[in-house]
Amino acid sequence: SQYYPREKFEIIIVDDGSTDQTTSIAKKAGVDSIIITEPCFQGKARNIGVQNAKADLLGFIDSDCEAIDGWVETIVKELETLQAITGSIESGNPQSKIAWAEYFVEFSFFNEYRKRFVSKIGLPGCNLACTKNAFEKAEGFSEERLSEDVRFSQCLSRAGIDHYFVPELQVKHLCRTKWKQVSTNMKTLGKYFVRNRRIN
């Protein structure tokens, strides 16, 4: 969906044991690299992707998100002067009240109406970009079972790297539409929050 010239960026998929035809769909879509690995936590999968990336600019998105047109171009433009950015996250399931509930709890801080600012609460992994240099200074993502994106943001801050909210960097997040799924995810995030606090 991106209008940025396709030959100027690479798409890397890290598949850690999916059962939903991720690999075959990705091949048909024309991704550059598909890396199959044993089941692992998200931080490790992200690190594996970076190890295989050729470019000096990195953009991260999750399997339940859709990059809105202009995502790649915004990364390239903004990382000319900045080292780490996030952007707006929109609800990808606007027809579902349950999805809206999850969106407001988890992502409303990153809505598309906010103006540019230095983010103090972190970079959500579903819409995150940074230079490879910043990634290395933060020592990559934690590979433990915790909120790897929150931890990564904290490590960036400790390395003296500001991260910015850029409203033009937009994704749609396919929030959950069943209450049990939302509840389970909230419990998991709560555990990870505690683990992050203990590490800090």
Side-chain angles (χ1 to χ4, degrees), residues 64-103:
D64 56 359
C65 292
E66 175 188 342
I68 296 176
D69 221 353
W71 192 75
V72 174
E73 185 173 58
T74 300
I75 290 171
V76 173
K77 177 184 168 191
E78 294 294 336
L79 294 185
E80 285 180 7
T81 54
L82 304 176
Q83 294 187 72
I85 59 173
T86 186
S88 59
I89 301 168
E90 300 175 24
S91 175
N93 284 325
Q95 74 288 351
S96 167
K97 291 179 182 175
I98 293 173
W100 273 116
E102 181 180 46
Y103 172 82

Side-chain angles (χ1 to χ4, degrees), residues 3-190:
Y3 54 73
Y4 193 76
R6 179 63 183 87
E7 69 276 7
K8 291 190 174 184
F9 66 96
E10 62 178 337
I11 301 172
I12 299 172
I13 300 288
V14 180
D15 184 343
D16 70 337
S18 66
T19 56
D20 59 359
Q21 300 180 316
T22 289
T23 303
S24 59
I25 292 168
K27 281 179 182 171
K28 285 179 191 169
V31 303
D32 298 291
S33 298
I34 299 170
I35 300 158
I36 309 291
T37 184
E38 75 280 352
C40 61
F41 191 55
Q42 213 158 355
K44 184 171 182 179
R46 294 191 199 282
N47 290 340
I48 290 168
V50 173
Q51 287 161 13
N52 288 272
K54 300 183 188 94
D56 292 325
L57 306 181
L58 307 168
F60 299 92
I61 191 167
D62 287 348
S63 58
D64 56 359
C65 292
E66 175 188 342
I68 296 176
D69 221 353
W71 192 75
V72 174
E73 185 173 58
T74 300
I75 290 171
V76 173
K77 177 184 168 191
E78 294 294 336
L79 294 185
E80 285 180 7
T81 54
L82 304 176
Q83 294 187 72
I85 59 173
T86 186
S88 59
I89 301 168
E90 300 175 24
S91 175
N93 284 325
Q95 74 288 351
S96 167
K97 291 179 182 175
I98 293 173
W100 273 116
E102 181 180 46
Y103 172 82
F104 284 124
V105 168
E106 200 170 344
F107 298 116
S108 60
F109 186 82
F110 301 96
N111 70 71
E112 64 268 35
Y113 302 107
R114 283 188 173 271
K115 295 195 163 64
R116 177 182 299 246
F117 64 94
V118 178
S119 175
K120 296 294 184 190
I121 71 161
L123 300 162
C126 64
N127 190 15
L128 184 165
C130 65
T131 63
K132 198 174 262 191
N133 183 49
F135 184 87
E136 288 166 358
K137 283 183 179 176
E139 300 181 357
F141 290 101
S142 170
E143 298 186 2
E144 298 176 55
R145 290 195 73 82
L146 46 75
S147 298
E148 85 293 339
D149 47 3
V150 174
R151 180 78 186 136
F152 180 69
S153 304
Q154 293 162 345
C155 291
L156 282 173
S157 295
R158 288 201 179 120
I161 298 169
D162 286 331
H163 28 96
Y164 288 78
F165 175 86
V166 177
E168 295 81 11
L169 190 71
Q170 300 177 335
V171 301
K172 285 184 182 176
H173 188 283
L174 299 172
C175 293
R176 295 159 184 83
T177 57
K178 299 211 176 355
W179 176 246
K180 189 171 182 182
Q181 295 170 335
V182 174
S183 176
T184 301
N185 186 53
M186 289 295 118
K187 286 176 186 174
T188 301
L189 291 177

